[in-house]
Amino acid sequence: AVGETVTFTTTMSPPPVPFLAITWMGPSSKNIITSGTTNVSDPEYTDRITLYPSTGSLELRNLALSDTGDYSLTIITHNVETHRGNCKLVVLITTASTDLVEFNSVRLSCSSSGSSPSFRWLNGSSEVTADRVQITDEGSTLTILIVTRYDLGPFRCHVSNAISAGTSQPLHFSVSYGPENTHLVTSPSQEVYTEGSDISLSCSAVSRPSARFTWIFNGGKLPDTGPVLTLTNIRISQSGQYICEASNNKTLRNDQSQPSSVTVLASISNVKLNTSTTHISEFHSSVRLSCSSSGSSPSFRWFNGSSEVTASDRVQITDGGSTMTIMNVSRHDQGPFRCFVSNRVSNETSDPVKLFIIFGPENIDLIVSPSQQFHDEGADVTLKCSVASNPALFQWFKNGNPLTHTGPELRLTNIQMRDSGNYSCQVFNSETGRNETSQPLTITVRKCKLE
């Protein structure tokens, strides 16, 4: 029984010359002692054993449940003959205590007065005959080899002979078990968490008595204990694998949960869009736009107006998406450009950036409104000059002579006969240094006929 002493006695006789070597091995192939020129012993046996070198016998004291198992002995004599032996030891808990541990053993002994007693064992109202028990000593001893949490009793011993019978007082057991089925739940349950959030990790386990909980983060133990671990104002540095470990001070067992992954990301903020230049000549220049932001694991997307810009023959997106380079810039690349930055918890868009694309002038055209061959004296006429040019400076001419008016429209109000003539507009681009003049448009004013 637990706490007692056992002696393993060999059949060897003391030899005239001492044995060369004696080796005792215990459960799980532990080296209890190897004795030769020196003695080598596992630390857990150092103060609990006595070896008798003349016969190889061994005394093991202060037995524990963990001492249950197979034992083997090897003796080598002075003439190098090898002798081997083995045996099995079962350490039991007696019913001096009704506080049991699941999967250990327990022995119940029944005593009585009277002649020729016959014994029967009962668990509740059922007779005990299961495979997990041994009934010995002519029925007076019941050994439960593997106690389970359901072996609570009440156990009774019924004793009888040919003339009388009697039943013992009931015996109830308290069985400690677990921990097992250790389970970890994270609340709120999310794939990722925003930095600054509060997270609660709750641990449960099947155990009697109730389990004690400790916490492991990325392989290292945390000082926190208890079934709930609260992470307030969580930081990115607290991302990682969390495990709760349940332990039972009665069964001396522990059990770990499956790891729970916590990923913390900082929100996207401070998104800014910068460009290498804003004044660009069409077809002869490239421009680089760079997007910067704060936050974790940013992902970048680019927009020209409401349309997304992706990589192409003219567009390169590099630096993890944060840089966009447009080659051979055209007049359609004016923007507004925006950079959209996101991660799994947030997103933000930059302020728009417009590019000043220099081109033209070209495709100049001059129209008159109303469009008619003759205009009556006193009428209003508007001439509109359209052109593809950036920038554009407009100059108007009448019969080849410059007018003071500038701008894309020339308004003639209350026209007179003197306003008749050939009109044209000329557009000058101060950046390209080029100009282009429209075809002349003839305005003919006629006198109104009075009736």
Side-chain angles (χ1 to χ4, degrees):
V2 171
E4 294 182 350
T5 299
V6 66
T7 300
F8 300 95
T9 304
T10 71
T11 58
M12 299 291 289
S13 299
V17 179
F19 297 132
L20 289 178
I22 302 172
T23 300
W24 276 97
M25 302 295 290
S28 302
S29 300
K30 293 179 182 177
N31 178 37
I32 299 176
I33 187 169
T34 296
S35 177
T37 55
T38 59
N39 291 340
V40 178
S41 181
D42 192 285
E44 72 175 273
Y45 295 104
T46 301
D47 299 324
R48 299 172 54 212
I49 58 172
T50 299
L51 177 68
Y52 299 97
S54 61
T55 61
S57 297
L58 178 73
E59 179 183 87
L60 177 58
R61 299 178 293 276
N62 193 21
L63 291 175
L65 293 172
S66 58
D67 291 323
T68 295
D70 295 316
Y71 289 74
S72 63
L73 167 66
T74 301
I75 295 178
I76 301 176
T77 63
H78 72 282
N79 55 1
V80 200
E81 290 182 355
T82 300
H83 299 266
R84 292 186 173 88
N86 57 75
C87 64
K88 186 177 184 69
L89 174 66
V90 178
V91 181
L92 304 175
I93 299 176
T94 67
T95 55
S97 171
T98 57
D99 192 0
L100 308 180
V101 174
E102 190 174 42
F103 307 132
N104 290 338
S105 301
V106 65
R107 185 175 63 225
L108 293 80
S109 298
C110 185
S111 61
S112 66
S113 300
S115 304
S116 305
S118 176
F119 299 88
R120 290 174 60 213
W121 291 92
L122 302 174
N123 182 358
S125 59
S126 301
E127 185 170 0
V128 178
T129 58
D131 294 336
R132 292 184 297 110
V133 304
Q134 289 180 348
I135 298 176
T136 55
D137 298 332
E138 297 180 342
S140 66
T141 300
L142 170 68
T143 303
I144 304 175
L145 300 175
I146 303 175
V147 172
T148 74
R149 66 195 66 179
Y150 308 108
D151 295 325
L152 303 177
F155 287 92
R156 293 179 177 87
C157 171
H158 181 80
V159 187
S160 63
N161 60 15
I163 59 172
S164 64
T167 302
S168 70
Q169 291 295 314
L171 179 64
H172 294 266
F173 288 127
S174 172
V175 181
S176 298
Y177 54 84
E180 58 192 46
N181 300 328
T182 304
H183 186 56
L184 177 57
V185 175
T186 304
S187 179
S189 179
Q190 300 171 192
E191 290 188 4
V192 293
Y193 298 89
T194 305
E195 190 174 38
S197 301
D198 295 338
I199 303 174
S200 176
L201 294 90
S202 301
C203 194
S204 62
V206 177
S207 177
R208 186 179 188 278
S210 297
R212 296 178 178 179
F213 297 97
T214 55
W215 295 89
I216 299 170
F217 171 58
N218 288 341
K221 283 204 170 184
L222 296 175
D224 308 76
T225 59
V228 178
L229 175 64
T230 301
L231 305 176
T232 57
N233 191 26
I234 194 167
R235 315 314 298 170
I236 293 174
S237 60
Q238 291 173 287
S239 294
Q241 299 285 326
Y242 288 82
I243 295 173
C244 74
E245 183 173 81
S247 60
N248 185 317
N249 62 351
K250 289 287 188 180
T251 65
L252 303 181
R253 300 175 191 138
N254 56 55
D255 186 52
Q256 290 186 350
S257 69
Q258 289 295 313
S260 178
S261 179
V262 172
T263 302
V264 184
L265 299 179
S267 296
I268 298 297
S269 62
N270 301 320
V271 177
K272 295 180 180 179
L273 179 54
N274 297 302
T275 178
S276 56
T277 181
T278 55
H279 282 61
I280 309 153
S281 296
E282 186 178 39
F283 305 132
H284 299 291
S285 303
S286 297
V287 63
R288 184 177 66 251
L289 294 90
S290 299
C291 188
S292 62
S293 67
S294 301
S296 307
S297 305
S299 176
F300 299 87
R301 293 170 64 193
W302 292 91
F303 288 88
N304 183 355
S306 59
S307 300
E308 185 169 3
V309 182
T310 57
S312 65
D313 292 341
R314 285 198 315 115
V315 177
Q316 292 181 347
I317 297 179
T318 55
D319 299 330
S322 66
T323 300
M324 178 174 68
T325 304
I326 304 173
M327 296 168 288
N328 297 323
V329 171
S330 77
R331 65 195 65 182
H332 306 294
D333 298 324
Q334 297 182 75
F337 289 96
R338 291 179 176 85
C339 171
F340 176 82
V341 187
S342 64
N343 60 17
R344 296 164 72 186
V345 297
S346 64
N347 61 76
E348 187 173 301
T349 303
S350 70
D351 291 333
V353 169
K354 293 199 70 173
L355 302 180
F356 189 86
I357 311 299
I358 301 167
F359 58 90
E362 58 190 52
N363 301 325
I364 193 167
D365 189 34
L366 179 59
I367 61 173
V368 62
S369 176
S371 178
Q372 54 195 54
Q373 187 176 0
F374 302 101
H375 299 272
D376 293 332
E377 196 175 34
D380 295 337
V381 176
T382 301
L383 292 91
K384 296 181 180 180
C385 187
S386 63
V387 68
S389 180
N390 188 35
L393 298 175
F394 293 87
Q395 176 67 59
W396 290 90
F397 294 87
K398 176 186 175 185
N399 297 326
N401 298 313
L403 300 175
T404 58
H405 185 76
T406 59
E409 290 188 3
L410 175 63
R411 297 179 183 273
L412 303 176
T413 59
N414 190 24
I415 58 174
Q416 303 300 312
M417 294 292 293
R418 63 178 178 274
D419 292 322
S420 296
N422 293 321
Y423 288 81
S424 63
C425 72
Q426 185 183 78
V427 176
F428 175 68
N429 188 319
S430 60
E431 295 286 344
T432 63
R434 300 197 302 265
N435 61 62
E436 186 167 336
T437 304
S438 70
Q439 291 295 319
L441 190 150
T442 301
I443 299 293
T444 303
V445 181
R446 63 184 179 183
K447 282 187 176 290
C448 292
K449 294 182 180 180
L450 299 177
E451 298 186 4

